[in-house]
Amino acid sequence: MWRWRRRTEVPLFIASTVFLGCYAVRILDDDLPQGWRDALLTVTYTTWAMFVADFAVRWRISGRGLSFVRTHLLDAIVVVLPLLRPLRIVEIYDSVQHRREHARLSLYARVMAYASMTAVLLGFAGALTVYAAERGAPGATIRTFGDSVWWACSTLTTVGYGDVTPVTPKGRSVAVLMMAGGLALLGAVTGSFSSWLIQRFALDEDRRPPGGSPGGLL
């Protein structure tokens, strides 16, 4: 199953970006012709079908029945809510942790870079969803997409200024997911960097001569 995941991770990441792009155009462009809306909706459902197929194949390969769903709950949630796909960085971080026999900067750097990109995607997706839910709601403070982006940035970074806040049930539900996602992504970045530093220091310590200093002066 690891081989399948390694081969499909990049194509599915691209598919999630396409999914998000189609979703964004349909929300932000109110004057989009109906024909284009239908075409974007078709692309959206096509990429969604790719996520479903990927989950089904990995479920079949595992041969574990319903226990696979219980141990891959985040993947199951992503199939239902594709905009949350960036949160799969948590699983990638876990896989790196299991392969940390050597302090490989390139491996941890990829995780940190992936986490940064997915934080942007998650923030953009959250901003779109909240904007769609809030822009016409009575008493809403998020009236423009710029307001929504500002809110998403402060929420993902767990700052939470409170100058603009969602008032609808859907908007607040997205806020909860964004707060949890922000903590997970920040944890992946800081955890990867900390793990690399600890392993680097441990390897340097192992290379020292017994009872001596790094330069062999003692």
Side-chain angles (χ1 to χ4, degrees), residues 20-40:
L20 182 58
C22 294
Y23 180 70
V25 173
R26 295 181 72 249
I27 288 179
L28 297 177
D29 193 347
D30 294 329
D31 299 325
L32 191 68
Q34 187 60 41
W36 280 103
R37 287 188 175 275
D38 294 340
L40 291 174

Side-chain angles (χ1 to χ4, degrees), residues 20-121:
L20 182 58
C22 294
Y23 180 70
V25 173
R26 295 181 72 249
I27 288 179
L28 297 177
D29 193 347
D30 294 329
D31 299 325
L32 191 68
Q34 187 60 41
W36 280 103
R37 287 188 175 275
D38 294 340
L40 291 174
L41 188 61
T42 300
V43 175
T44 299
Y45 283 129
T46 300
T47 54
W48 197 343
M50 292 174 62
F51 304 145
V52 175
D54 171 66
F55 186 78
V57 169
R58 290 193 290 117
W59 189 352
R60 179 68 179 272
I61 293 175
S62 70
R64 295 169 54 188
L66 291 178
S67 63
F68 176 83
V69 180
R70 290 196 297 269
T71 56
H72 293 77
L73 187 58
L74 180 58
D75 284 339
I77 293 174
V78 167
V79 170
V80 179
L81 300 172
L83 290 176
L84 296 181
R85 186 168 182 81
L87 291 181
R88 290 198 65 243
I89 184 61
V90 178
E91 291 188 357
I92 296 175
Y93 171 64
D94 288 340
S95 68
V96 169
Q97 289 292 85
H98 292 311
R99 300 167 57 194
R100 59 179 188 175
E101 294 85 0
H102 305 287
R104 298 172 57 192
L105 176 59
S106 60
L107 186 61
Y108 286 100
R110 286 199 298 271
V111 172
M112 289 185 281
Y114 197 105
S116 300
M117 289 187 295
T118 52
V120 173
L121 289 176

